[in-house]
Amino acid sequence: MKGLPVLSLLLWTCAVYLVGIYLFVGGFLLVRLEVNRTSTCGDVLKPGEEPTDFCRSQPRFRRVVILIIDALKIDFARFDPTKTSPKPYENKLPVLEDTVSSRPSQSRLYPFRADPPTTTMQRIKGFTTGSLPTFVDVGNNFASSAILEDNLIHQLGQMGELLHIYILLCSIRMIKSQCLLSKQKTFTLIGKRVVFMGDDTWESLFPKKFHRSLPFPSFNVKDLHTVDNGILQHLYTTMVDDDWDVLVAHFLGVDHCGHRFGPDHPAMADKLTQMDGVIRSVIDRLQNDTLLVVMGDHGMTDTGDHGGESQKETDAALFLYSPSPIFPGPPTQNEPDVVPQTDLVPTLALLLGIPIPFSSVGQVLLPLFPPHGQTEGAIGEFSQLEALWINAKQVNRFLETYSAMAKDIPPDSLSQLKDEFSRLSSEYLISLREGRSPSPQLVSSLRAYLTSVRDTCRATWARFNPLKMGAGLAILAFACLMCLVLSELSLALIRENEGGLKAPAAMALLAGVSMAAAQLLTQGYVEAAWCLAAGAFSTQLLFFWRACQLNTPMVLKNGTKAPKCTRWLSPRRLLIPSLVVPLLRCASLLSDSYVIAEGRVVTFLVFSLALYIPINLNWDGLLLPPSHDPLKSAGLLPSPALSPSTVRKESSTLLACLGVLIGSLYLSLSFHGCREEQGFCQPSPFLSPLSRLQDSQLKNLHYILSVISLSIYTYLLRHYLCHFGNLNSSGVTVFTARWILPLLSVCLGLHWAVSATPEDSFRNLAELIRLAQLALPRAAFCLLGLGLSLIWLDPLTVFVKTRAAASARSSHLPPPRYRASTGISPQAELHHLIPQIYQRMRRSLDDGELSGASEADNRPAVEAYGLGTVYSAPVLLFTGLLGIGLLLLHPEGMALSFLLLLLEMGAILHMHASFTTLSGLHGVYSGGFNVPWTPIVLWSLAATQFFHATGHLPTFPSIQWGAAFMGFPDGHTGTILPASMVTFNTFASYILFAVGCPLLLFWPLVCEVRGNKGGRAYGEEGEDAVMEMRLRENPQQFSSALLQLSTRYLFIHGAQVFSSVCAAAILRRHLMVWKVFAPKLMFEASGFLVSCAFLLIGVTLVLRVDVAVGRWFKRLVPDTSR
């Protein structure tokens, strides 16, 4: 078998797809331009005064305490006394409502709305910079990098640096008496010492910006108490000390409780009650010049997740309090219904007497500032009009700077905003110069201006690069066409032996270097994306030129010559039902309704295409045995290739597998998650881990069902290997199947039992339980790695046995007279010991020893078990073992879903085998092992279907982040391992179907019927089934079929990626682009890349098996006799 051409062509195809995706994403998901400028004390001027240092003025508050309760949604903060039996998350923070009702002039509670994505890192960035995030920012939540834009922490830290420089200058240059006179004032008005404690994300976002920090590890969502208890150990003592001006405490217990148990769990009630006590204690310790801000960075869904843009995820709580009055009275109708998170930035900046960060687009919270003309006697207070003026001037300055650097804001909108600010500025300054009160409508006009700027920025900060997007689209389109051509010319490419990467690599290198040189000459710098694009385009053109060269001319009906490829590029060949289904699905990706309901629609498509198989056979008259024909009995017509009993058996098998497939499809719908847009949809209860279930009986029932499903899964894998004689040898792969596979299942079942144990039970065994929660999943990972490595190193599962041959030589040797160690019947041995292969091997040995007459009576005869499934057995074991490892990363309830996945795999394989056998009734033998389109399309659609049937959705809130901590409850030191674990969890179905894709090639041979070889009849006395050994007899056709199968599978998934790319490009200004189409693109592209990687692993495993089989034959049969 020519393995190198197959592997190199697949590698090159995947690389071209990767370049196309990289180019398009680079043009579609560009981050907005960051303005790396900072505000200074001289930038912000009080209107009507001479230019002075703004920071020297008396601030409204000398200190501020910011308590961030992660995932504190507004529903948690409200109090409803009419509820007699509240849910665990309701009425647990009465301190907020009590304070607002009893002290209306000192406190307020607002809904605090975040901009999506609602992940912690992006929210911290939003409420410290005042800027709006972009869609691509969500990917940075795994690896938070320092914020470079101007922000509140930087401004506060900059004031501390100014204080340090001032004191240093005093001690060196200035007169000490002058320093003594101004030192206390400078310390009071300038020095801002920020003390932080809590989520360690802040340390990575603001490195070396804190006066003192106490970070705690944040990414272990199963740990509810470490961060919160660590804060409480230092919070109250820090408040008593006098070495801080801004105190930031970020609690994580509520968020982690939501991720682990969901909001409707007693643990959430305990955690919220703890936060209620924290807020009360902090209020009791506040001084009159201190402001308390209690806020949530985002909300959470009913399942405890966040990251998207549903109202449950975006609406957090904001509570403001001070011992001294800060509001004119109780809430009025002018109070805002919702406070955007960006508005906190300019509000805190003006209250603390620091410049508003340069890139902020928020507007001040007006109820915290007195109306114009009512600031007499107040210290450090701006009126509402003054605060709005400073805010508008800062926003206009940012707008002018940004528009000069980037051209993405529409010119009409930009001109209109500038004209509006000029008008408002002129009106306000004229009224100040004339000494009259400004118009009452000026406040409303300034607020409208600030709102318009924010809305304009939000609408236009999706910067696209049409050139990169177009190049990516073109490369992906050519890549899909390339896959189609490869699948049709696979045999010609293998025969020409031109599948190496030398020519494409040389062409790509030449084109990339040429593009780099051109960029250096024209632009002075090199952009790698265009070099990759040039390389991809050049290799694609080279391939299409080679494809035309490999085609021999053919004569059309009009007498002209045309390339051979016109036959398989004709609509008749492409518009077959098995290709129409995925093409219709690809076209449907332009509909947001289809994407929302994709899980059920793909299930329907799998059902429809599976039903097409028996209907097509029946239409061709192949599903039932042919009627008795006297001409065939008389020998005037050829007899059918299969006997009527064989046809009935194969038809029954096909229909039974169809029933299993339909049942699996129906049951798989019970494991789907829910999108926000699906209204009253309820997510599957199996998506929740056992630790979330409060009903003990229901928990035990789920556990028993999961263990039974896992046991059946393991049994089916071992039964297949045992049935075909693959468990008889002493090789390491058989050791994996006999010992590692069941041990891994036992570890998984024990881990489920331990993880479901409540924390407050078995207190005497608490340490042992914690040790088991750490050791069991790690032991399972070790067993998984060991098993996969052993299969990879020595994949052969053939058992060889020699015995003395009979004295009489005969061309028809009797079947073996001993039973296999697996206990299968003699009839099964007759089918699965591959007697025809052994006959050839025996004859080869006999012919090689004709000269040894003295040993004529003791010549060895060779028998082998498992040779007929030598290729499929290691691939199936590898896939099954990997499935159990991936199940470890999922909730326990997904065990039944993974069992359904295995059953659906088996049903598709057996339907494909029966279809191939029944199609042999035509009596046409192609001489190849090509896999038709229908099973490949079914296989690829099943991968997408089980993506949804394992609880996943193409949305960021559906990502199961808890998978990153399986076996690592204390977190990770890096980001690669947790990101990989979450990726394996999310795309488990893509992984399993990709690595098991070669089974589609082997299964018709595994289920080969005796007396039938590609449609030629041999009868009961003819040749026996030789199963997968046919592949050894035709190495070129084997290589061609494997290449064709792989490229067809890549074509189906690549077409889906291309459709998602087209949808995102065409609908980039659509209302639902960032909510539906962009996430779908990201998940589809990621799933395709994962499929490529594991398809290459599966193909490489097949090549390793082929090499091992070749070595086995060399050892078994001497060179002289082969």
Short mmCIF file of all heavy atoms in Angstrom, two decimals, residues 1041-1062:
data_model
loop_
_atom_site.label_atom_id
_atom_site.label_comp_id
_atom_site.label_asym_id
_atom_site.label_seq_id
_atom_site.Cartn_x
_atom_site.Cartn_y
_atom_site.Cartn_z
N ALA A 1041 -8.92 3.88 -2.46
CA ALA A 1041 -10.18 3.92 -1.73
C ALA A 1041 -10.04 4.69 -0.42
O ALA A 1041 -10.95 5.44 -0.03
CB ALA A 1041 -10.67 2.50 -1.46
N LEU A 1042 -8.92 4.52 0.27
CA LEU A 1042 -8.70 5.24 1.52
C LEU A 1042 -8.60 6.73 1.26
O LEU A 1042 -9.15 7.56 2.02
CB LEU A 1042 -7.44 4.72 2.20
CG LEU A 1042 -7.13 5.28 3.58
CD1 LEU A 1042 -8.26 4.96 4.56
CD2 LEU A 1042 -5.81 4.73 4.11
N LEU A 1043 -7.89 7.12 0.19
CA LEU A 1043 -7.78 8.54 -0.16
C LEU A 1043 -9.14 9.10 -0.56
O LEU A 1043 -9.51 10.21 -0.16
CB LEU A 1043 -6.76 8.72 -1.28
CG LEU A 1043 -6.58 10.14 -1.82
CD1 LEU A 1043 -6.08 11.07 -0.72
CD2 LEU A 1043 -5.62 10.15 -3.00
N GLN A 1044 -9.88 8.34 -1.34
CA GLN A 1044 -11.19 8.82 -1.77
C GLN A 1044 -12.14 8.99 -0.60
O GLN A 1044 -12.86 10.00 -0.50
CB GLN A 1044 -11.80 7.84 -2.78
CG GLN A 1044 -13.13 8.30 -3.35
CD GLN A 1044 -13.77 7.25 -4.22
OE1 GLN A 1044 -14.19 6.21 -3.74
NE2 GLN A 1044 -13.83 7.52 -5.51
N LEU A 1045 -12.17 8.02 0.30
CA LEU A 1045 -13.02 8.12 1.49
C LEU A 1045 -12.68 9.35 2.31
O LEU A 1045 -13.57 10.12 2.73
CB LEU A 1045 -12.87 6.85 2.33
CG LEU A 1045 -13.49 6.87 3.73
CD1 LEU A 1045 -15.00 7.02 3.65
CD2 LEU A 1045 -13.11 5.61 4.50
N SER A 1046 -11.40 9.59 2.54
CA SER A 1046 -10.98 10.71 3.38
C SER A 1046 -11.31 12.04 2.73
O SER A 1046 -11.79 12.98 3.40
CB SER A 1046 -9.47 10.61 3.65
OG SER A 1046 -9.14 9.38 4.26
N THR A 1047 -11.06 12.17 1.44
CA THR A 1047 -11.34 13.45 0.77
C THR A 1047 -12.83 13.71 0.66
O THR A 1047 -13.26 14.87 0.74
CB THR A 1047 -10.70 13.47 -0.63
OG1 THR A 1047 -11.07 12.27 -1.35
CG2 THR A 1047 -9.18 13.52 -0.52
N ARG A 1048 -13.62 12.67 0.50
CA ARG A 1048 -15.08 12.87 0.47
C ARG A 1048 -15.58 13.33 1.84
O ARG A 1048 -16.47 14.20 1.93
CB ARG A 1048 -15.78 11.59 0.03
CG ARG A 1048 -15.67 11.32 -1.47
CD ARG A 1048 -16.43 10.09 -1.88
NE ARG A 1048 -16.44 9.96 -3.35
CZ ARG A 1048 -17.05 8.98 -4.03
NH1 ARG A 1048 -17.70 8.04 -3.35
NH2 ARG A 1048 -17.00 8.94 -5.33
N TYR A 1049 -15.04 12.74 2.88
CA TYR A 1049 -15.43 13.16 4.24
C TYR A 1049 -15.02 14.61 4.48
O TYR A 1049 -15.79 15.40 5.05
CB TYR A 1049 -14.77 12.23 5.26
CG TYR A 1049 -15.24 12.45 6.67
CD1 TYR A 1049 -16.49 12.00 7.10
CD2 TYR A 1049 -14.43 13.10 7.61
CE1 TYR A 1049 -16.92 12.19 8.40
CE2 TYR A 1049 -14.85 13.29 8.91
CZ TYR A 1049 -16.09 12.84 9.30
OH TYR A 1049 -16.52 13.04 10.59
N LEU A 1050 -13.81 14.98 4.05
CA LEU A 1050 -13.38 16.37 4.19
C LEU A 1050 -14.22 17.30 3.34
O LEU A 1050 -14.47 18.45 3.72
CB LEU A 1050 -11.90 16.49 3.79
CG LEU A 1050 -10.87 15.91 4.75
CD1 LEU A 1050 -9.47 16.06 4.18
CD2 LEU A 1050 -10.95 16.59 6.11
N PHE A 1051 -14.67 16.82 2.19
CA PHE A 1051 -15.50 17.66 1.32
C PHE A 1051 -16.81 18.02 2.00
O PHE A 1051 -17.25 19.18 1.95
CB PHE A 1051 -15.79 16.94 0.00
CG PHE A 1051 -16.82 17.63 -0.85
CD1 PHE A 1051 -16.49 18.75 -1.58
CD2 PHE A 1051 -18.13 17.16 -0.90
CE1 PHE A 1051 -17.45 19.41 -2.36
CE2 PHE A 1051 -19.08 17.80 -1.67
CZ PHE A 1051 -18.74 18.92 -2.40
N ILE A 1052 -17.46 17.05 2.66
CA ILE A 1052 -18.73 17.32 3.32
C ILE A 1052 -18.54 18.35 4.42
O ILE A 1052 -19.27 19.35 4.50
CB ILE A 1052 -19.34 16.03 3.88
CG1 ILE A 1052 -19.59 15.02 2.75
CG2 ILE A 1052 -20.63 16.33 4.63
CD1 ILE A 1052 -20.56 15.50 1.72
N HIS A 1053 -17.55 18.14 5.28
CA HIS A 1053 -17.33 19.09 6.37
C HIS A 1053 -16.80 20.43 5.84
O HIS A 1053 -17.14 21.49 6.37
CB HIS A 1053 -16.34 18.50 7.38
CG HIS A 1053 -16.97 17.50 8.30
ND1 HIS A 1053 -17.83 17.84 9.30
CD2 HIS A 1053 -16.87 16.15 8.35
CE1 HIS A 1053 -18.24 16.77 9.94
NE2 HIS A 1053 -17.67 15.72 9.39
N GLY A 1054 -15.95 20.37 4.82
CA GLY A 1054 -15.44 21.61 4.23
C GLY A 1054 -16.53 22.44 3.59
O GLY A 1054 -16.52 23.68 3.67
N ALA A 1055 -17.51 21.77 2.97
CA ALA A 1055 -18.63 22.50 2.38
C ALA A 1055 -19.46 23.20 3.46
O ALA A 1055 -19.97 24.31 3.25
CB ALA A 1055 -19.50 21.54 1.57
N GLN A 1056 -19.59 22.54 4.63
CA GLN A 1056 -20.31 23.18 5.73
C GLN A 1056 -19.56 24.41 6.23
O GLN A 1056 -20.18 25.44 6.56
CB GLN A 1056 -20.50 22.17 6.86
CG GLN A 1056 -21.44 21.02 6.48
CD GLN A 1056 -21.46 19.91 7.51
OE1 GLN A 1056 -22.09 18.89 7.31
NE2 GLN A 1056 -20.77 20.10 8.60
N VAL A 1057 -18.24 24.32 6.31
CA VAL A 1057 -17.45 25.49 6.72
C VAL A 1057 -17.60 26.61 5.70
O VAL A 1057 -17.79 27.78 6.05
CB VAL A 1057 -15.98 25.11 6.90
CG1 VAL A 1057 -15.13 26.34 7.18
CG2 VAL A 1057 -15.81 24.11 8.03
N PHE A 1058 -17.53 26.25 4.41
CA PHE A 1058 -17.66 27.25 3.35
C PHE A 1058 -19.02 27.93 3.42
O PHE A 1058 -19.12 29.16 3.24
CB PHE A 1058 -17.47 26.58 1.99
CG PHE A 1058 -17.64 27.52 0.83
CD1 PHE A 1058 -16.71 28.50 0.56
CD2 PHE A 1058 -18.75 27.41 0.00
CE1 PHE A 1058 -16.87 29.38 -0.52
CE2 PHE A 1058 -18.92 28.27 -1.07
CZ PHE A 1058 -17.97 29.25 -1.33
N SER A 1059 -20.08 27.16 3.72
CA SER A 1059 -21.41 27.76 3.84
C SER A 1059 -21.49 28.69 5.03
O SER A 1059 -22.10 29.77 4.95
CB SER A 1059 -22.46 26.65 3.97
OG SER A 1059 -22.41 25.79 2.85
N SER A 1060 -20.89 28.30 6.15
CA SER A 1060 -20.88 29.19 7.33
C SER A 1060 -20.11 30.46 7.04
O SER A 1060 -20.51 31.55 7.48
CB SER A 1060 -20.26 28.45 8.52
OG SER A 1060 -20.99 27.30 8.85
N VAL A 1061 -19.03 30.34 6.31
CA VAL A 1061 -18.24 31.51 5.94
C VAL A 1061 -19.05 32.43 5.04
O VAL A 1061 -19.07 33.66 5.21
CB VAL A 1061 -16.93 31.05 5.26
CG1 VAL A 1061 -16.27 32.20 4.52
CG2 VAL A 1061 -15.97 30.48 6.29
N CYS A 1062 -19.74 31.84 4.06
CA CYS A 1062 -20.57 32.65 3.17
C CYS A 1062 -21.69 33.35 3.94
O CYS A 1062 -21.98 34.53 3.70
CB CYS A 1062 -21.18 31.76 2.08
SG CYS A 1062 -20.01 31.19 0.84
#
